[in-house]
Amino acid sequence: MSGLIIVIYFVLGIVLFLLNNSIISKYNITKIQSIIISLLFILLLGGVSSYKVFSGDIFIVLIFYMIIDIIYTTYILGDDFFGKGRFSYHIILIILGYLMNKHFINTVDSIFLSSDQLKIVIWVIIIISIYRFINSNKLFNSRFISNNKLDDNDIRIQYTKYKNKYNLKYEDKDLELLLYSIMIINNKNRNNLLRWVDYKIFEFTGRKRKLSIMLINSNKNISDMEGIDISYKELTNIKKSHKSIVTIISKYDKDNSDKIMYVYNTLKDFLK
């Protein structure tokens, strides 16, 4: 396999990753539906392979898709890839892709309804049968996203990560914990990649933009720690007039107040 083919496979892996993420985000599809979409993608590429554009190992695109997903989930979103059920999803996808590649794509002259139409019909029947079996047994029906909510384990993991990274030492420990809660929700709403894009747009335009982990609307470049200090001062000022943590959160960020309150209470229970 030439280096050019490997590069092409890598690019196609990126295309599949973007396609799947776009569909998952828009339609909140199940994992089994995503597997079917990915296999259809490989099947179409296999049709192109029939014209000798690629080699006969088109399933390698699925391996690159997994690698890209690992990097994105771990380093961009900051989530645990192996603890989200995504690893088993990719392993099954790669196995099915390999079997389809070896026993179907590489054994027919043309995938696009040629003289081997009977094999295509049989393959469709097999896919439908597998789908009905898995669906009836409720396998892989867990969704990739669930109303954009964090579970308690996610919250504890994110808190530990930010605690180690920033190690805040403010006098008011309630507000300090509230800062971590706000960070967790802000990162969920606008991850590292999007915040990096915000910084680059700000550097290019110089216009006011929400910056740092605290998403401070600023007309100057600020670091995460500067943003945290600004938020702490704002929370401290709010607390002078409102003692209730519910009211403080609502005054600080009304749109996300319920989510921040949930994270805050979860962390309070966790730290007891």
Side-chain angles (χ1 to χ4, degrees):
M1 187 185 302
S2 70
L4 177 60
I5 294 297
I6 293 176
V7 171
I8 292 174
Y9 282 170
F10 178 74
V11 172
L12 290 172
I14 295 176
V15 172
L16 178 56
F17 171 79
L18 294 175
L19 173 66
N20 254 323
N21 270 24
S22 174
I23 295 174
I24 289 166
S25 245
K26 189 171 183 179
Y27 301 105
N28 196 13
I29 62 173
T30 62
K31 291 179 181 178
I32 188 61
Q33 290 169 331
S34 176
I35 286 175
I36 291 173
I37 290 171
S38 300
L39 291 177
L40 288 175
F41 181 80
I42 294 301
L43 192 63
L44 290 174
L45 293 178
V48 178
S49 296
S50 299
Y51 298 99
K52 309 302 180 185
V53 177
F54 308 128
S55 73
D57 297 318
I58 197 67
F59 81 96
I60 293 175
V61 171
L62 300 175
I63 298 176
F64 281 120
Y65 169 38
M66 180 178 73
I67 293 171
I68 293 164
D69 199 13
I70 290 174
I71 294 171
Y72 178 77
T73 302
T74 304
Y75 297 103
I76 302 300
L77 296 184
D79 284 342
D80 181 10
F81 175 86
F82 296 95
K84 291 288 187 179
R86 299 183 75 92
F87 182 65
S88 57
Y89 155 78
H90 278 287
I91 292 300
I92 290 176
L93 176 58
I94 290 170
I95 291 172
L96 290 176
Y98 170 77
L99 293 174
M100 184 174 71
N101 196 161
K102 181 178 180 180
H103 298 291
F104 178 59
I105 295 176
N106 290 350
T107 60
V108 298
D109 295 328
S110 174
I111 290 175
F112 299 122
L113 298 179
S114 64
S115 58
D116 296 294
Q117 289 181 8
L118 182 58
K119 287 185 178 181
I120 296 177
V121 172
I122 293 173
W123 184 246
V124 171
I125 292 172
I126 290 172
I127 291 177
I128 293 173
S129 299
I130 293 173
Y131 173 78
R132 286 183 175 178
F133 170 79
I134 295 177
N135 196 47
S136 64
N137 287 278
K138 297 182 179 180
L139 300 174
F140 289 98
N141 268 349
S142 60
R143 298 187 181 276
F144 284 92
I145 54 177
S146 179
N147 299 322
N148 204 30
K149 290 183 179 179
L150 287 164
D151 59 36
D152 291 356
N153 188 54
D154 287 325
I155 292 171
R156 290 190 288 267
I157 291 172
Q158 293 295 316
Y159 168 74
T160 303
K161 181 181 76 172
Y162 291 133
K163 179 72 173 174
N164 292 333
K165 183 175 182 179
Y166 300 114
N167 192 26
L168 304 183
K169 299 292 184 183
Y170 290 113
E171 181 179 353
D172 192 321
K173 295 304 176 183
D174 285 335
L175 292 186
E176 182 179 296
L177 189 62
L178 182 53
L179 286 170
Y180 285 119
S181 304
I182 294 169
M183 288 181 208
I184 291 170
I185 292 301
N186 283 354
N187 186 66
K188 194 68 176 175
N189 291 337
R190 200 153 189 83
N191 62 45
N192 290 334
L193 176 61
L194 295 178
R195 295 200 303 275
W196 178 84
V197 171
D198 286 334
Y199 273 113
K200 293 304 176 184
I201 293 176
F202 173 80
E203 289 176 0
F204 181 74
T205 65
R207 294 181 179 178
K208 184 180 288 188
R209 202 165 186 84
K210 291 186 177 181
L211 304 175
S212 90
I213 182 67
M214 304 309 293
L215 301 183
I216 302 296
N217 201 17
S218 175
N219 56 8
K220 68 174 184 177
N221 203 341
I222 57 174
S223 66
D224 280 352
M225 281 308 305
E226 288 173 329
I228 292 169
D229 284 336
I230 292 171
S231 292
Y232 180 75
K233 290 175 183 176
E234 183 177 349
L235 291 170
T236 301
N237 288 332
I238 295 173
K239 193 172 183 179
K240 290 177 181 177
S241 304
H242 306 279
K243 301 302 179 183
S244 166
I245 195 70
V246 175
T247 306
I248 293 172
I249 294 172
S250 181
K251 291 289 184 180
Y252 180 83
D253 187 350
K254 185 176 181 180
D255 292 339
N256 294 297
S257 58
D258 290 341
K259 294 178 182 178
I260 295 172
M261 191 72 230
Y262 177 78
V263 173
Y264 178 83
N265 287 332
T266 301
L267 291 178
K268 289 281 281 188
D269 291 339
F270 171 58
L271 297 173
K272 281 182 179 178

